[in-house]
Amino acid sequence: MPDDAVTQRLNVEGADPLTLSGVNDSNLTELARQTGARVALRGDVLTVSGPAETVDRATAIAQRMIDAARQRLPLEADDVLRMTLEVSRDGADTGDRIVLPGVRRVIQPKTPGQGEYLRLIAENDIVVGIGPAGTGKTYLAVAAAVDALMRKRVRRIILARPAVEAGESLGFLPGDMQAKVDPYLRPLYDALEDMMPADRMQRALETRIIEIAPLAYMRGRTLSDAFVILDEAQNATSAQMKMFLTRLGVNSRTVITGDKTQVDLPAREDSGLIQIERILTGIEGIAFHYLSDVDVVRHRLVRDIIKAYAADTA
């Protein structure tokens, strides 16, 4: 061992060893690969060795891994990579967890950017979350909405999306209008299904405590005592966006999510998301939050794909 090498021993008692180490020690291997430290798990002790600066960084990441394993949270190599990025950004707090009753699920921001996003949702009446695919914009907003409903802070959840075709035509699909628009709304159903027991979700949809609908269905309504989410807002026209924002009623909270790189409207300048970014910034009670490739929580290749596209259009 080099003269400047140090060793740090971390107590992992209470942490699930398989969760911590990963299949075939994949998590520990990723920790070593990302930091250059030597890592070994023996019983209730995780040993981290190497140059002092390397060990300090690796220890900070390892502690996050241990905390996750103690809470029985999912932990894979991609999560270790995200933790590495968090520590690289000064180890900022990732925010509070959302514990949803009825499901064995803890929703926890995995990056500082996601933590800040949830904090802004808790503190503002309108939050606009802008960022690339895979950053948790919609998922975290739905989690916050379900949490507000379960805590009786609102009486209903309304989830809306513009029904804009992304280069494909669904006009000739069989079925009634609802059957034709359901493909656009499926991601919202998927998020809900991950956060609520199936029977409770079905009852909520039947009683309209939770409503999932195309944006056009919002016209003429007043959305009071509700948590309202507009997803894929980059495909809302300026007129639709104005219509949506003026639906906001008493004791309601709104989250608008979108990705400015995926505008499917005929003319990009028609996007209501791009317009409100220009005209609503600075209004008290409205917060804009920007997520980046660092906040991507899907497969690690998604981050690299986003970077590649960004470089190509620069």
Side-chain angles (χ1 to χ4, degrees):
M1 186 176 294
D3 293 340
D4 64 341
V6 298
T7 298
Q8 184 70 260
R9 293 176 177 83
L10 304 176
N11 186 346
V12 301
E13 186 176 0
D16 180 63
L18 180 57
T19 300
L20 179 60
S21 61
V23 178
N24 296 324
D25 290 338
S26 58
N27 293 344
L28 300 182
T29 300
E30 182 69 12
L31 175 60
R33 189 175 75 85
Q34 290 294 332
T35 63
R38 290 181 295 280
V39 182
L41 178 62
R42 297 288 184 271
D44 286 338
V45 176
L46 179 66
T47 302
V48 181
S49 304
E53 186 176 340
T54 297
V55 169
D56 286 346
R57 182 165 176 263
T59 299
I61 300 165
Q63 191 59 61
R64 291 172 185 240
M65 296 168 60
I66 294 167
D67 291 343
R70 282 177 174 152
Q71 296 169 30
R72 299 300 193 268
L73 299 176
L75 184 63
E76 298 178 352
D78 280 354
D79 298 305
V80 177
L81 175 59
R82 282 190 289 274
M83 291 173 183
T84 303
L85 295 171
E86 292 170 19
V87 170
S88 296
R89 291 169 64 172
D90 299 325
D93 184 8
T94 56
D96 295 330
R97 296 180 296 153
I98 295 176
V99 181
L100 299 175
V103 291
R104 294 180 179 179
R105 186 80 177 171
V106 177
I107 309 299
Q108 184 172 21
K110 294 184 175 180
T111 70
Q114 289 188 347
E116 176 68 4
Y117 180 48
L118 279 181
R119 186 188 67 78
L120 290 173
I121 290 174
E123 296 177 356
N124 293 272
D125 290 333
I126 298 177
V127 173
V128 184
I130 298 175
T135 51
K137 302 184 302 294
T138 303
Y139 192 83
L140 292 174
V142 172
V146 173
D147 184 52
L149 181 67
M150 296 300 185
R151 295 176 183 269
K152 301 188 184 305
R153 293 173 179 167
V154 296
R155 295 178 57 191
R156 55 183 175 154
I157 296 173
I158 298 172
L159 309 174
R161 260 190 169 205
V164 175
E165 297 166 355
E168 305 172 47
S169 177
L170 299 179
F172 294 101
L173 286 177
D176 58 14
M177 176 59 73
Q178 190 63 43
K180 289 179 184 293
V181 300
D182 267 355
Y184 295 110
L185 307 176
R186 187 70 248 173
L188 298 174
Y189 285 103
D190 290 343
L192 274 177
E193 288 170 356
D194 206 27
M195 298 175 193
M196 299 181 70
D199 57 340
R200 184 180 296 180
M201 174 181 163
Q202 190 59 40
R203 285 196 303 272
L205 289 169
E206 290 172 355
T207 57
R208 299 179 73 80
I209 291 174
I210 297 178
E211 182 180 351
I212 304 177
L215 175 59
Y217 286 22
M218 299 297 107
R219 188 173 299 279
R221 302 177 59 184
T222 300
L223 306 177
S224 301
D225 207 15
F227 198 116
V228 189
I229 298 173
L230 174 59
D231 191 35
E232 298 289 338
Q234 74 275 4
N235 290 326
T237 65
S238 297
Q240 287 176 324
M241 183 65 77
K242 181 181 178 182
M243 176 273 293
F244 174 79
L245 288 169
T246 54
R247 301 306 94 200
L248 189 64
V250 177
N251 190 39
S252 287
R253 196 168 291 268
T254 297
V255 177
I256 298 168
T257 71
D259 178 357
K260 293 190 295 182
T261 69
Q262 296 195 38
V263 177
D264 296 316
L265 296 169
R268 175 182 168 84
E269 58 270 18
D270 290 339
S271 171
L273 178 66
I274 293 174
Q275 182 187 42
I276 64 171
E277 185 185 21
R278 186 176 68 250
I279 67 175
L280 299 186
T281 301
I283 296 179
E284 185 176 355
I286 301 178
F288 284 79
H289 184 63
Y290 295 86
L291 296 152
S292 70
D293 58 273
V294 174
D295 300 297
V296 171
V297 293
R298 291 180 184 166
H299 193 286
R300 69 177 67 197
L301 285 177
V302 173
R303 184 182 297 107
D304 294 334
I305 290 168
I306 290 168
K307 286 181 177 179
Y309 272 96
D312 186 61
T313 58

Short mmCIF file of all heavy atoms in Angstrom, two decimals, residues 12 14-28 41 43-44 65 68-70 72-77 80:
data_model
loop_
_atom_site.label_atom_id
_atom_site.label_comp_id
_atom_site.label_asym_id
_atom_site.label_seq_id
_atom_site.Cartn_x
_atom_site.Cartn_y
_atom_site.Cartn_z
N VAL A 12 -21.81 -1.39 8.57
CA VAL A 12 -22.97 -1.60 7.70
C VAL A 12 -24.05 -2.40 8.41
O VAL A 12 -24.95 -2.94 7.77
CB VAL A 12 -22.55 -2.29 6.38
CG1 VAL A 12 -21.52 -1.47 5.64
CG2 VAL A 12 -22.03 -3.70 6.65
N GLY A 14 -27.30 -3.65 9.91
CA GLY A 14 -28.67 -3.27 9.58
C GLY A 14 -28.92 -3.12 8.10
O GLY A 14 -30.07 -3.03 7.65
N ALA A 15 -27.86 -3.09 7.29
CA ALA A 15 -28.00 -2.99 5.84
C ALA A 15 -28.08 -4.39 5.23
O ALA A 15 -27.34 -5.28 5.63
CB ALA A 15 -26.82 -2.22 5.23
N ASP A 16 -28.99 -4.56 4.29
CA ASP A 16 -29.10 -5.85 3.61
C ASP A 16 -27.83 -6.06 2.77
O ASP A 16 -27.54 -5.27 1.87
CB ASP A 16 -30.33 -5.87 2.70
CG ASP A 16 -30.47 -7.18 1.96
OD1 ASP A 16 -30.64 -8.22 2.61
OD2 ASP A 16 -30.38 -7.16 0.70
N PRO A 17 -27.05 -7.11 3.05
CA PRO A 17 -25.75 -7.26 2.37
C PRO A 17 -25.87 -7.46 0.87
O PRO A 17 -25.04 -6.95 0.11
CB PRO A 17 -25.13 -8.49 3.06
CG PRO A 17 -26.27 -9.19 3.72
CD PRO A 17 -27.27 -8.15 4.07
N LEU A 18 -26.91 -8.18 0.42
CA LEU A 18 -27.06 -8.40 -1.03
C LEU A 18 -27.42 -7.10 -1.73
O LEU A 18 -26.91 -6.80 -2.81
CB LEU A 18 -28.12 -9.47 -1.29
CG LEU A 18 -28.37 -9.80 -2.78
CD1 LEU A 18 -27.08 -10.24 -3.46
CD2 LEU A 18 -29.45 -10.86 -2.92
N THR A 19 -28.32 -6.32 -1.10
CA THR A 19 -28.67 -5.02 -1.68
C THR A 19 -27.45 -4.12 -1.77
O THR A 19 -27.22 -3.45 -2.77
CB THR A 19 -29.76 -4.33 -0.82
OG1 THR A 19 -30.92 -5.16 -0.78
CG2 THR A 19 -30.12 -2.97 -1.40
N LEU A 20 -26.65 -4.12 -0.70
CA LEU A 20 -25.47 -3.25 -0.66
C LEU A 20 -24.44 -3.65 -1.70
O LEU A 20 -23.93 -2.80 -2.44
CB LEU A 20 -24.86 -3.28 0.73
CG LEU A 20 -23.59 -2.45 0.94
CD1 LEU A 20 -23.87 -0.97 0.67
CD2 LEU A 20 -23.06 -2.64 2.37
N SER A 21 -24.13 -4.92 -1.76
CA SER A 21 -23.05 -5.37 -2.66
C SER A 21 -23.52 -5.51 -4.10
O SER A 21 -22.74 -5.31 -5.04
CB SER A 21 -22.47 -6.69 -2.17
OG SER A 21 -23.47 -7.70 -2.16
N GLY A 22 -24.81 -5.83 -4.30
CA GLY A 22 -25.31 -6.05 -5.65
C GLY A 22 -25.03 -7.46 -6.12
O GLY A 22 -24.24 -8.20 -5.52
N VAL A 23 -25.68 -7.84 -7.19
CA VAL A 23 -25.48 -9.16 -7.77
C VAL A 23 -24.03 -9.29 -8.25
O VAL A 23 -23.53 -8.43 -8.98
CB VAL A 23 -26.46 -9.41 -8.94
CG1 VAL A 23 -26.21 -10.78 -9.57
CG2 VAL A 23 -27.90 -9.30 -8.45
N ASN A 24 -23.37 -10.34 -7.78
CA ASN A 24 -21.95 -10.55 -8.12
C ASN A 24 -21.09 -9.34 -7.75
O ASN A 24 -20.14 -8.99 -8.46
CB ASN A 24 -21.79 -10.87 -9.61
CG ASN A 24 -22.45 -12.19 -9.99
OD1 ASN A 24 -22.45 -13.14 -9.22
ND2 ASN A 24 -23.03 -12.23 -11.19
N ASP A 25 -21.46 -8.69 -6.65
CA ASP A 25 -20.72 -7.52 -6.14
C ASP A 25 -20.69 -6.36 -7.12
O ASP A 25 -19.75 -5.55 -7.12
CB ASP A 25 -19.28 -7.92 -5.77
CG ASP A 25 -19.22 -8.81 -4.52
OD1 ASP A 25 -20.19 -8.77 -3.74
OD2 ASP A 25 -18.22 -9.51 -4.35
N SER A 26 -21.72 -6.27 -7.97
CA SER A 26 -21.73 -5.24 -9.01
C SER A 26 -21.72 -3.82 -8.44
O SER A 26 -21.10 -2.91 -9.02
CB SER A 26 -22.94 -5.42 -9.93
OG SER A 26 -24.15 -5.37 -9.18
N ASN A 27 -22.38 -3.60 -7.30
CA ASN A 27 -22.41 -2.26 -6.72
C ASN A 27 -21.04 -1.85 -6.17
O ASN A 27 -20.59 -0.71 -6.35
CB ASN A 27 -23.45 -2.19 -5.60
CG ASN A 27 -24.87 -2.33 -6.11
OD1 ASN A 27 -25.12 -2.19 -7.30
ND2 ASN A 27 -25.80 -2.63 -5.21
N LEU A 28 -20.39 -2.79 -5.50
CA LEU A 28 -19.06 -2.50 -4.96
C LEU A 28 -18.05 -2.30 -6.09
O LEU A 28 -17.16 -1.45 -6.01
CB LEU A 28 -18.61 -3.63 -4.04
CG LEU A 28 -19.51 -3.91 -2.82
CD1 LEU A 28 -18.92 -5.03 -1.97
CD2 LEU A 28 -19.73 -2.65 -2.00
N LEU A 41 -16.16 -5.83 1.39
CA LEU A 41 -17.20 -6.02 2.39
C LEU A 41 -16.95 -7.33 3.12
O LEU A 41 -16.93 -8.40 2.51
CB LEU A 41 -18.58 -6.04 1.72
CG LEU A 41 -19.78 -6.28 2.64
CD1 LEU A 41 -19.89 -5.17 3.68
CD2 LEU A 41 -21.08 -6.37 1.82
N GLY A 43 -18.46 -9.15 6.56
CA GLY A 43 -19.39 -9.10 7.67
C GLY A 43 -20.10 -7.78 7.73
O GLY A 43 -20.74 -7.34 6.76
N ASP A 44 -20.02 -7.09 8.88
CA ASP A 44 -20.70 -5.81 9.06
C ASP A 44 -19.76 -4.63 8.85
O ASP A 44 -20.05 -3.51 9.32
CB ASP A 44 -21.29 -5.72 10.48
CG ASP A 44 -22.52 -6.61 10.64
OD1 ASP A 44 -23.14 -6.94 9.62
OD2 ASP A 44 -22.84 -6.96 11.80
N MET A 65 -24.89 4.52 -0.10
CA MET A 65 -25.27 3.15 -0.44
C MET A 65 -25.75 2.39 0.81
O MET A 65 -26.74 1.66 0.76
CB MET A 65 -24.07 2.43 -1.07
CG MET A 65 -23.63 3.01 -2.41
SD MET A 65 -22.02 2.35 -2.96
CE MET A 65 -22.38 0.59 -3.08
N ALA A 68 -29.21 3.50 1.82
CA ALA A 68 -30.22 2.92 0.94
C ALA A 68 -30.47 1.46 1.28
O ALA A 68 -31.62 0.99 1.31
CB ALA A 68 -29.79 3.06 -0.52
N ALA A 69 -29.39 0.71 1.52
CA ALA A 69 -29.53 -0.71 1.85
C ALA A 69 -30.24 -0.91 3.18
O ALA A 69 -30.98 -1.88 3.37
CB ALA A 69 -28.15 -1.38 1.88
N ARG A 70 -30.02 -0.02 4.13
CA ARG A 70 -30.72 -0.10 5.42
C ARG A 70 -32.21 0.16 5.27
O ARG A 70 -33.03 -0.38 6.00
CB ARG A 70 -30.11 0.89 6.40
CG ARG A 70 -28.79 0.42 7.01
CD ARG A 70 -28.16 1.45 7.91
NE ARG A 70 -26.99 0.91 8.60
CZ ARG A 70 -25.97 1.65 9.01
NH1 ARG A 70 -25.97 2.96 8.81
NH2 ARG A 70 -24.94 1.08 9.63
N ARG A 72 -33.88 -0.62 2.66
CA ARG A 72 -34.36 -1.62 1.69
C ARG A 72 -34.81 -0.96 0.39
O ARG A 72 -35.75 -1.41 -0.26
CB ARG A 72 -35.51 -2.44 2.27
CG ARG A 72 -35.14 -3.23 3.54
CD ARG A 72 -34.01 -4.24 3.27
NE ARG A 72 -33.84 -5.20 4.36
CZ ARG A 72 -33.02 -5.05 5.38
NH1 ARG A 72 -32.32 -3.93 5.50
NH2 ARG A 72 -32.91 -5.99 6.30
N LEU A 73 -34.16 0.13 0.03
CA LEU A 73 -34.44 0.78 -1.24
C LEU A 73 -33.73 0.05 -2.36
O LEU A 73 -32.69 -0.58 -2.14
CB LEU A 73 -34.00 2.25 -1.20
CG LEU A 73 -34.67 3.14 -0.16
CD1 LEU A 73 -34.05 4.53 -0.17
CD2 LEU A 73 -36.16 3.23 -0.43
N PRO A 74 -34.23 0.12 -3.59
CA PRO A 74 -33.52 -0.51 -4.71
C PRO A 74 -32.13 0.10 -4.86
O PRO A 74 -31.95 1.31 -4.72
CB PRO A 74 -34.41 -0.17 -5.92
CG PRO A 74 -35.75 0.14 -5.36
CD PRO A 74 -35.50 0.75 -4.01
N LEU A 75 -31.14 -0.74 -5.11
CA LEU A 75 -29.77 -0.26 -5.27
C LEU A 75 -29.06 -1.11 -6.31
O LEU A 75 -28.83 -2.30 -6.11
CB LEU A 75 -29.02 -0.32 -3.94
CG LEU A 75 -27.59 0.25 -3.93
CD1 LEU A 75 -27.61 1.74 -4.24
CD2 LEU A 75 -26.91 -0.01 -2.60
N GLU A 76 -28.75 -0.47 -7.43
CA GLU A 76 -28.04 -1.14 -8.52
C GLU A 76 -26.86 -0.28 -8.95
O GLU A 76 -26.67 0.83 -8.44
CB GLU A 76 -28.99 -1.40 -9.69
CG GLU A 76 -30.16 -2.31 -9.33
CD GLU A 76 -31.12 -2.51 -10.48
OE1 GLU A 76 -30.95 -1.81 -11.52
OE2 GLU A 76 -32.04 -3.33 -10.37
N ALA A 77 -26.10 -0.80 -9.90
CA ALA A 77 -24.91 -0.07 -10.35
C ALA A 77 -25.24 1.33 -10.86
O ALA A 77 -24.50 2.28 -10.63
CB ALA A 77 -24.18 -0.88 -11.42
N VAL A 80 -25.48 3.64 -7.99
CA VAL A 80 -24.15 4.01 -7.49
C VAL A 80 -23.57 5.13 -8.35
O VAL A 80 -22.97 6.08 -7.83
CB VAL A 80 -23.21 2.79 -7.47
CG1 VAL A 80 -21.80 3.19 -7.02
CG2 VAL A 80 -23.76 1.70 -6.55
#
